[in-house]
Amino acid sequence: MKRALHRIPMGILLIYLCAATVFARELVPVGTVIGLELSAGSVTVAAFDDEFPAGREAGLQIGDEIVAIDSTRIRCAEDIRRALNCSDGTVELLVSRDGDEKEIRVEPRITQTGPKLGIYLRQGITGIGTVTYYDPENGAFGTLGHGVSDSKGKLLPMVRGNAYPATVVSIQKGKSGAPGQLKGALNVDHLLGELSGNTGRGVFGRAQKGFQGQALPVAAWEDVHTGKATIRSTVTGGGPRDYSVEILKIYPRNRSDSRNLLLKVTDPALLEATGGIVQGMSGSPIIQDGKLVGAVTHV
């Protein structure tokens, strides 16, 4: 077994059984790539603008969370723009750094588009994933199969989020020691839905327009067995398709890390295109015996 795993390291991954079993008898396994934009309700310094060094020279550091400007609470980049436009010169920033709060005075640079602090901001995380399921009865959907973490590796405390259509533009093929990734493009001009939760078992939301596909029964724990199965993924511009896999092992149901199954990619076309499972395929639904079993989560 060890020798086989070494030959196809990208074909081995763990999945979790759909938490959806508790609220729906049938769901649509989707497999479509989707764009995700999660906001944590905070703004941090991501980088500096060399043309306007005001922020750096005043003592700001990358990773500083901007809590307030002149006593105005900051929750998004637009709050910063408004606070700077209302100022009449030097502004006082309250920042959080490594758990401590500091006051930093900065004189913004006045430009044609308004005052600038000379910093680039991060107010959340944007990326792509694969939609696991869609519930045609209420428009709910789940994606990723795992949570989105912040820069410190902790679950991002999402306060709001949006989902957008996305397309795969290129593939970085996986290899031993490097999982590879799907590189996608988001169409932020067309809102697909709003996100409602970022959890350890996936990102969830409600779609404004439904996903296409036939609803399937959700498998009960006792329905799942080792052997042949399929995953539904989008790795090209042609949309989602099914790829063959094999469930190698079923782990105890009470595992705390939500990884319940071990499976191996066996489909030659998928192995040729991606090398196995790559980033961006997280959330790909797993189907066995005509039932929705779970979602791909980790390589």
Side-chain angles (χ1 to χ4, degrees):
M1 179 63 71
K2 290 183 179 179
R3 190 174 302 166
L5 296 183
H6 180 71
R7 285 201 303 267
I8 50 169
M10 289 308 301
I12 305 301
L13 61 149
L14 294 166
I15 64 172
Y16 79 98
L17 294 181
C18 280
T21 53
V22 300
F23 63 84
R25 291 189 298 273
E26 291 192 348
L27 298 170
V28 177
V30 181
T32 298
V33 171
I34 190 176
L36 302 171
E37 184 181 68
L38 288 74
S39 174
S42 62
V43 181
T44 58
V45 178
F48 293 103
D49 186 344
D50 292 335
E51 293 186 12
F52 307 122
R56 191 205 306 266
E57 292 177 351
L60 286 173
Q61 296 181 11
I62 293 175
D64 284 351
E65 178 185 342
I66 301 177
V67 178
I69 296 180
D70 290 341
S71 301
T72 299
R73 182 75 180 182
I74 302 300
R75 295 181 176 85
C76 63
E78 182 63 19
D79 288 343
I80 292 181
R81 188 189 67 81
R82 284 194 292 262
L84 293 179
N85 285 338
C86 291
S87 69
D88 55 4
T90 301
V91 295
E92 186 171 279
L93 276 63
L94 178 65
V95 303
S96 176
R97 181 187 300 165
D98 298 327
D100 296 326
E101 291 190 343
K102 301 178 180 294
E103 294 182 350
I104 297 177
R105 297 181 66 83
V106 184
E107 184 175 349
R109 173 78 173 270
I110 305 303
T111 72
Q112 292 182 346
T113 57
K116 303 291 184 183
L117 293 176
I119 58 177
Y120 293 101
L121 303 172
R122 179 186 294 115
Q123 58 179 353
I125 294 177
T126 301
I128 65 170
T130 299
V131 180
T132 305
Y133 71 84
Y134 169 68
D135 188 343
E137 291 189 2
N138 57 23
F141 68 89
T143 181
L144 282 187
H146 59 74
V148 175
S149 298
D150 59 20
S151 59
K152 299 179 181 179
K154 297 181 179 180
L155 194 67
L156 183 77
M158 187 189 80
V159 297
R160 59 184 176 274
N162 293 324
Y164 301 98
T167 55
V168 176
V169 296
S170 65
I171 300 172
Q172 180 181 329
K173 195 171 181 178
K175 58 183 179 180
S176 181
Q181 64 176 325
L182 301 178
K183 295 183 179 180
L186 282 63
N187 184 355
V188 296
D189 294 330
H190 294 84
L191 182 66
L192 194 153
E194 295 184 355
L195 304 179
S196 57
N198 177 35
T199 77
R201 287 184 174 266
V203 176
F204 301 94
R206 196 172 300 274
Q208 294 183 346
K209 183 178 180 181
F211 296 94
Q212 299 297 316
Q214 178 183 355
L216 296 178
V218 176
W221 179 271
E222 56 271 16
D223 295 334
V224 186
H225 58 86
T226 57
K228 294 181 179 180
T230 61
I231 63 173
R232 184 167 295 170
S233 303
T234 301
V235 297
T236 66
R241 59 166 288 189
D242 291 351
Y243 298 97
S244 61
V245 298
E246 180 183 356
I247 295 177
L248 299 177
K249 185 176 181 179
I250 300 175
Y251 292 102
R253 187 174 185 175
N254 59 355
R255 265 182 82 129
S256 60
D257 60 5
S258 303
R259 305 180 188 184
N260 303 116
L261 304 178
L262 178 68
L263 65 81
K264 177 176 69 175
V265 174
T266 58
D267 196 290
L270 184 58
L271 291 171
E272 175 63 26
T274 64
I277 300 299
V278 297
Q279 295 175 17
M281 291 175 64
S282 293
S284 298
I286 299 165
I287 302 167
Q288 185 181 59
D289 300 334
K291 296 180 179 179
L292 178 59
V293 173
V296 172
T297 59
H298 297 77
V299 174

